[in-house]
Amino acid sequence: MTPSGQPAARTSSVRAVGAGPTDSKEKPVGEELLRGTCPACLAAIGETHADDCDVAECLATGRKRMWCRAHADSSGHDCGQADWTGWWPGHRECREFGWHVEWDREARTWSRCSPDVPGSGPDLARLYAQARWNADQRQWERRRAVVFTGMLRGGRAAAEVLAKVALRWSVREGLDVVCEHVGSRAWRSVVADVVDGRAEVLVVPSAAALGHGRQLFDRIAACAARAGPSPARAW
């Protein structure tokens, strides 16, 4: 027990990024045990992490504070004073999104899998790259996407087929599709979705589906310019 009366942490080692397998014989597959203390600095639930804690997350970016300090473009901001919640940062969201990895012995690399695979662990690298951090809610969320397909040879029917391809890709990549637009006249609605903050990512099935020649680059620039500090990206 800790001085505050909380049960001590069950782990004897700490991964700096909090990644890797978390399953054990003590819990059902796909779940994670509540830890009474932080396994790095021993802060109890509700207590603030130590300044040099390797587990503590940055309240501004959602990443580990140690990551912020190691990068010049983020080392100067205030990471805030995070407290230990009983859960590893980011692990809950990875399970919710279905973003887990397992070690492939033959390929000698990590491969994506579902959270119910025994011995799997949260894919934090994917979480940091593909999700967005909600600092107010102190949680990771799926990036919101808008799917757009302009007119192509074959007319609207061909465009709708490609739009379905883009939609399936978006779901597979873990994006939260909020709107779908088909047809060149729908471009204004795409820009409005970005400007109003309904989407951060623009998904198109091909460059041709976004436009031709100068129009292609003008449309990409339009989204980036109107989105402010969080421009949409064409995938």
Side-chain angles (χ1 to χ4, degrees):
M1 301 291 286
T2 66
S4 61
Q6 295 290 339
R10 299 187 182 187
T11 57
S12 59
S13 62
V14 177
R15 293 177 180 270
V17 295
T22 59
D23 284 330
S24 72
K25 296 181 180 179
E26 301 177 27
K27 67 183 182 62
V29 174
E31 297 182 9
E32 186 177 4
L33 290 171
L34 181 69
R35 300 177 184 272
T37 59
C38 168
C41 69
L42 300 184
I45 295 176
E47 293 181 349
T48 303
H49 286 283
D51 291 338
D52 60 349
C53 180
D54 291 338
V55 173
E57 73 271 37
C58 168
L59 297 184
T61 67
R63 290 175 173 265
K64 295 292 186 292
R65 292 193 313 213
M66 58 184 295
W67 185 93
C68 294
R69 294 167 181 170
H71 291 74
D73 59 345
S74 60
S75 60
H77 70 230
D78 181 9
C79 290
Q81 296 294 316
D83 58 344
W84 174 243
T85 63
W87 312 107
W88 284 84
H91 284 206
R92 177 182 57 80
E93 291 92 330
C94 283
R95 289 195 302 277
E96 178 184 338
F97 300 161
W99 294 355
H100 265 220
V101 290
E102 63 175 336
W103 180 251
D104 188 327
R105 293 184 178 180
E106 295 184 0
R108 298 185 64 81
T109 187
W110 293 99
S111 60
R112 292 180 179 178
C113 66
S114 62
D116 60 356
V117 174
S120 68
D123 190 352
L124 293 183
R126 183 181 184 184
L127 184 74
Y128 296 153
Q130 295 183 213
R132 64 187 182 93
W133 174 248
N134 186 325
D136 294 332
Q137 297 297 323
R138 193 180 167 183
Q139 66 183 14
W140 291 94
E141 299 174 348
R142 296 178 185 272
R143 287 190 181 275
R144 296 166 298 181
V146 54
V147 174
F148 171 74
T149 305
M151 286 294 98
L152 302 170
R153 291 181 180 179
R156 187 175 183 85
E160 290 179 347
V161 170
L162 283 181
K164 291 180 180 179
V165 172
L167 177 60
R168 288 196 296 269
W169 180 88
S170 301
V171 173
R172 185 174 67 251
E173 289 301 307
L175 298 172
D176 181 13
V177 179
V178 295
C179 294
E180 298 176 59
H181 300 291
V182 178
S184 298
R185 294 184 179 181
W187 177 249
R188 291 184 179 179
S189 298
V190 173
V191 175
D193 288 338
V194 176
V195 172
D196 296 340
R198 288 193 293 270
E200 299 92 20
V201 180
L202 168 61
V203 178
V204 294
S206 68
L210 184 59
H212 299 278
R214 182 175 178 179
Q215 182 186 54
L216 169 66
F217 298 99
D218 287 346
R219 284 181 168 176
I220 293 176
C223 272
R226 287 169 170 77
S230 301
R233 294 179 291 176
W235 287 14

